[in-house]
Amino acid sequence: MGKITFHSEGVPYVLPNKALFRQWITETALSHGKRVGGLAFVFCSDDYLLEMNKQYLNHDYFTDIITFDYADGDVIAGDIFISVDRVEDNACKNLVDKKTEMQRVVIHGVLHLCGYKDKQKKEITIMREKEQFYLRILPQFLKTKRST
């Protein structure tokens, strides 16, 4: 398994069950014919991610995630920055719990690294379907991993 790390920058967020997330991410990549190289997840504030969005992407708006893709062939690698503030706001707007929304955003970043886009309507539809698929199998995955 490649190295998958989780950090926080300026926010007191700690992702629970890191080992489980590493396995879930790795299996998601494998299901797309990819292997995990190095992935760094950085949990940060809206302001932190807004500055990154401006500096690196020339976008002046809040977002929940920015994924920097360093993939090489079938090996995915990258830095994934996630705004904890935006995840919490989106959870309220979408009437889901914060934990589920964070899981969705994490797998969204992984799906980007597996080659999925979300700029056009059709791409967004496919991305949402994939997110839902991986969110649905997560409880089964957790149950399977606990029993082994």
Side-chain angles (χ1 to χ4, degrees):
M1 180 183 332
K3 186 169 185 174
I4 302 171
T5 59
F6 303 97
H7 313 274
S8 63
E9 181 64 45
V11 295
Y13 184 79
V14 177
L15 185 72
N17 300 318
K18 290 178 181 137
L20 222 46
F21 269 85
R22 286 183 183 100
Q23 292 170 335
W24 184 49
I25 290 164
T26 299
E27 290 196 16
T28 298
L30 288 171
S31 74
H32 289 89
K34 309 284 185 182
R35 293 178 293 124
V36 174
L39 293 179
F41 287 84
V42 180
F43 302 98
C44 58
S45 68
D46 265 350
D47 291 337
Y48 187 91
L49 203 54
L50 176 61
E51 286 307 310
M52 291 191 73
N53 212 7
K54 289 177 184 177
Q55 182 177 353
Y56 296 105
L57 302 175
N58 294 318
H59 298 158
D60 190 7
Y61 54 81
F62 291 114
T63 186
D64 54 358
I65 186 169
I66 295 177
T67 304
F68 294 99
D69 188 347
Y70 311 129
D72 185 16
D74 69 345
V75 178
I76 64 169
D79 295 325
I80 299 173
F81 291 82
I82 297 173
S83 168
V84 175
D85 300 325
R86 196 69 10 229
V87 166
E88 290 176 356
D89 285 351
N90 289 344
C92 289
K93 287 178 190 172
N94 298 326
L95 304 175
V96 298
D97 63 67
K98 293 175 193 175
K99 181 176 95 174
T100 300
E101 183 63 11
M102 183 61 77
Q103 292 166 347
R104 185 195 67 76
V105 174
V106 165
I107 211 64
H108 180 92
V110 174
L111 290 168
H112 271 309
L113 296 175
C114 288
Y116 292 92
K117 308 289 183 218
D118 61 358
K119 297 298 179 200
Q120 298 176 0
K121 190 174 181 177
K122 185 176 181 179
E123 293 171 336
I124 293 168
T125 299
I126 293 168
M127 178 68 88
R128 294 295 174 258
E129 288 171 357
K130 291 291 182 182
E131 290 168 1
Q132 289 306 311
F133 171 78
Y134 287 103
L135 286 172
R136 277 193 309 273
I137 67 167
L138 182 59
Q140 297 166 343
F141 177 78
L142 296 173
K143 186 177 177 182
T144 303
K145 293 301 174 187
R146 285 189 190 129
S147 64
T148 56

